[in-house]
Amino acid sequence: MHTSLTDPAPPILHLLAHDIRWNLAKALAGSDYRVGELATLIQQPLKLISYHLRQLRDGQLVHERRSTADGRDLYYSLDLAHIEAVYQLAGATLHPCLGDDASAPRHAADATHAPTRVLFLCTHNSARSQMAEAILRHIGGSTVLAFSAGTEQSTIHPQAIITLAAHGIDTSSQTSKRLDAYAGEHFDYVITVCDRAREICPLFPGDPHQIHWSFPDPAAIAAPLEQARAFEQTYTQLLTRMRFFLTVLDRQRRGA
């Protein structure tokens, strides 16, 4: 006896089946961008890019956030954690084995490759970039070397220290530094974590990969309880981004 199959395909498969939406997702998987930059990357008219971004936004795969540097601009980011969850769910509807999480990165030390050098850049090097440096150093093991700097120098925000300590991450060796402290040094990746730093980000020697993660500044919130929640949210989002970033690095190493 045959069972009738009439189930619709999961919505994420419909959303990403279109070439433009697929390429938008691929671009945003690596970095956050403004709509004009996406139009240039994908070589499609601005109105068409805006239309398909709206489709991805309505499907909760993409988020937008107004630039803190130029308030007229919007940055678009891919919700990697949500896509991971719904992709696994879509796979499980086809076959239970396809719902397993097979994407966990392996970070064993590899003596044949030099550690990947990553610099996180922010405006004051007090909150977002400091947290990013600490998280990557904590979970990246010996395969990465993490650094951070600011276009201006400040001090590490106390709430950043408190938030990281609550997750077992020590920041006692970290200090706030200006970008010129790394003059002449080579980095494989430069990741800006605030819009102002990204929009004035200089060229670096050695042509490193430049990535932008558009995060609001949790230190800009004055109310203590709301500020603590904002720092915790920043931690969670950075951890998610870092996990996917390390997966990419791990697969690049194995491919090499």
Side-chain angles (χ1 to χ4, degrees), residues 17-147:
H18 193 283
D19 287 349
I20 291 179
R21 291 196 289 271
W22 175 255
N23 284 304
L24 282 170
K26 284 183 65 178
L28 293 171
S31 177
D32 298 349
Y33 289 108
R34 293 169 286 191
V35 63
E37 294 167 333
L38 289 166
T40 300
L41 282 170
I42 298 174
Q43 300 181 355
Q44 294 291 339
L46 198 63
K47 287 185 177 179
L48 193 58
I49 293 295
S50 296
Y51 169 79
H52 286 289
L53 280 172
R54 187 166 61 251
Q55 300 296 307
L56 292 171
R57 202 169 63 247
D58 290 346
Q60 300 182 327
L61 303 187
V62 164
H63 301 303
E64 65 178 24
R65 196 179 72 78
R66 194 163 295 280
S67 169
T68 54
D70 185 340
R72 297 168 296 180
D73 281 334
L74 293 171
Y75 278 101
Y76 291 88
S77 61
L78 196 66
D79 191 333
L80 289 166
H82 179 63
I83 288 180
E84 180 183 40
V86 294
Y87 242 119
Q88 288 179 16
L89 184 61
T93 63
L94 189 62
H95 191 284
C97 290
L98 297 177
D100 294 338
D101 183 6
S103 64
R106 300 180 301 174
H107 305 308
D110 182 356
T112 64
H113 293 88
T116 300
R117 293 172 57 86
V118 183
L119 174 66
F120 294 98
L121 185 61
C122 199
T123 303
H124 296 107
N125 192 215
S126 65
R128 291 161 288 185
S129 54
Q130 289 283 351
M131 294 176 74
E133 176 188 353
I135 293 168
L136 184 59
R137 182 179 293 119
H138 183 70
I139 69 172
S142 60
T143 63
V144 293
L145 293 175
F147 306 87

Side-chain angles (χ1 to χ4, degrees), residues 161-169 232:
I161 297 172
I162 292 169
T163 302
L164 291 166
H167 294 278
I169 301 177
E232 182 64 27

